[in-house]
Amino acid sequence: AQKVTQAQTEISVVEKEDVTLDCVYETRDTTYYLFWYKQPPSGELVFLIRRNSFDEQNEISGRYSWNFQKSTSSFNFTITASQVVDSAVYFCALLTQSGGSYIPTFGRGTSLIVHP
Amino acid sequence: GAGVSQTPSNKVTEKGKYVELRCDPISGHTALYWYRQSLGQGPEFLIYFQGTGAADDSGLPNDRFFAVRPEGSVSTLKIQRTERGDSAVYLCASSLTLAGMDTQYFGPGTRLTVL
């Protein structure tokens, strides 16, 4: 069975601090995809990044960076110099393709609050 | 706009009633997913379609829930004999194909409240 754990329920930081959101996943499949989504107060999930299981390269996009480590089954997300607009709930998700089925599993989310 | 749209945005109904929730995916997207999101939780998979057929409906909680996508575009999630526990935000997402590298784009959701 697939599982995604986001152990941090809520994180509170002050603007300009760096913050890392943790994501640990479990799967027996060798081919899988990992995603991060942002859900601002407006409610609509916004795609941030996807990674496949064969690409462990870390990625940086502006103030966002992702650290994928298969050895620890983790796909952590770091926001550098956080801003108030980063306040949202962030979800990590796992998509596997076993038996011809493509069922995504989401974590419970981490609520990030950035104070001015 | 060209995004995923869902109607209604809010639906209040009484226990025991029947409801239909509609999802209009991005044009050309063959895959369509339905999720349910309860307060403080992540989206929970319900069903997905590849074209017109339900490719996997293993997430539907029971036989009161049913979804269709007759022409491979718009989909309707149908809930019979609603119960208070069905109250949640129902999300729809579409992607170009089912391949994992295709991003799922989410709609704004329908907030269902069963009184």
Side-chain angles (χ1 to χ4, degrees), chain A residues 39, chain B residues 35-38 86-91 108-112:
Chain A
Q39 189 173 42
Chain B
Y35 298 86
R36 179 167 69 177
Q37 187 176 22
S38 301
D86 298 334
S87 296
V89 176
Y90 289 82
L91 299 170
T110 294
R111 182 175 299 278
L112 175 65

Side-chain angles (χ1 to χ4, degrees), chain A residues 35 47 54 58-59 71 75 85-87 95 108-111:
Chain A
F35 301 81
F47 165 79
F54 302 109
N58 292 329
E59 181 158 337
S71 60
F75 186 43
V85 293
D86 296 327
S87 297
L95 180 69
R108 294 183 63 171
T110 296
S111 176

Side-chain angles (χ1 to χ4, degrees), chain A residues 62-111:
Chain A
R63 296 184 296 107
Y64 296 170
S65 61
W66 291 268
N67 183 357
F68 177 27
Q69 292 195 344
K70 287 178 74 170
S71 60
T72 56
S73 296
S74 65
F75 186 43
N76 296 338
F77 172 31
T78 297
I79 301 175
T80 303
S82 59
Q83 299 176 2
V84 172
V85 293
D86 296 327
S87 297
V89 180
Y90 291 85
F91 292 97
C92 180
L94 168 69
L95 180 69
T96 59
Q97 299 178 350
S98 57
S101 205
Y102 299 75
I103 297 179
T105 303
F106 281 75
R108 294 183 63 171
T110 296
S111 176

Side-chain angles (χ1 to χ4, degrees), chain B residues 13-28:
Chain B
T13 191
E14 293 180 346
K15 180 174 177 292
K17 298 291 189 183
Y18 167 83
V19 297
E20 289 190 353
L21 312 179
R22 175 188 167 111
C23 171
D24 205 333
I26 292 172
S27 178

Side-chain angles (χ1 to χ4, degrees), chain B:
Chain B
V4 178
S5 62
Q6 292 186 247
T7 54
S9 54
N10 279 285
K11 176 71 177 178
V12 180
T13 191
E14 293 180 346
K15 180 174 177 292
K17 298 291 189 183
Y18 167 83
V19 297
E20 289 190 353
L21 312 179
R22 175 188 167 111
C23 171
D24 205 333
I26 292 172
S27 178
H29 280 194
T30 62
L32 186 148
Y33 287 77
W34 282 101
Y35 298 86
R36 179 167 69 177
Q37 187 176 22
S38 301
L39 193 63
Q41 304 291 321
E44 173 193 7
F45 166 79
L46 296 177
I47 183 173
Y48 77 81
F49 293 85
Q50 176 63 24
T52 60
D56 193 310
D57 63 358
S58 61
L60 294 177
N62 52 59
D63 61 7
R64 296 186 298 104
F65 288 74
F66 189 70
V68 295
R69 195 186 185 198
E71 297 177 358
S73 179
V74 172
S75 176
T76 304
L77 178 66
K78 308 180 181 193
I79 310 175
Q80 299 176 324
R81 304 182 305 279
T82 52
E83 299 177 356
R84 292 195 179 89
D86 298 334
S87 296
V89 176
Y90 289 82
L91 299 170
C92 175
S94 71
S95 65
L96 197 55
T97 70
L98 277 177
M101 286 304 291
D102 287 333
T103 300
Q104 288 190 26
Y105 294 91
F106 281 81
T110 294
R111 182 175 299 278
L112 175 65
T113 303
V114 182
L115 302 177

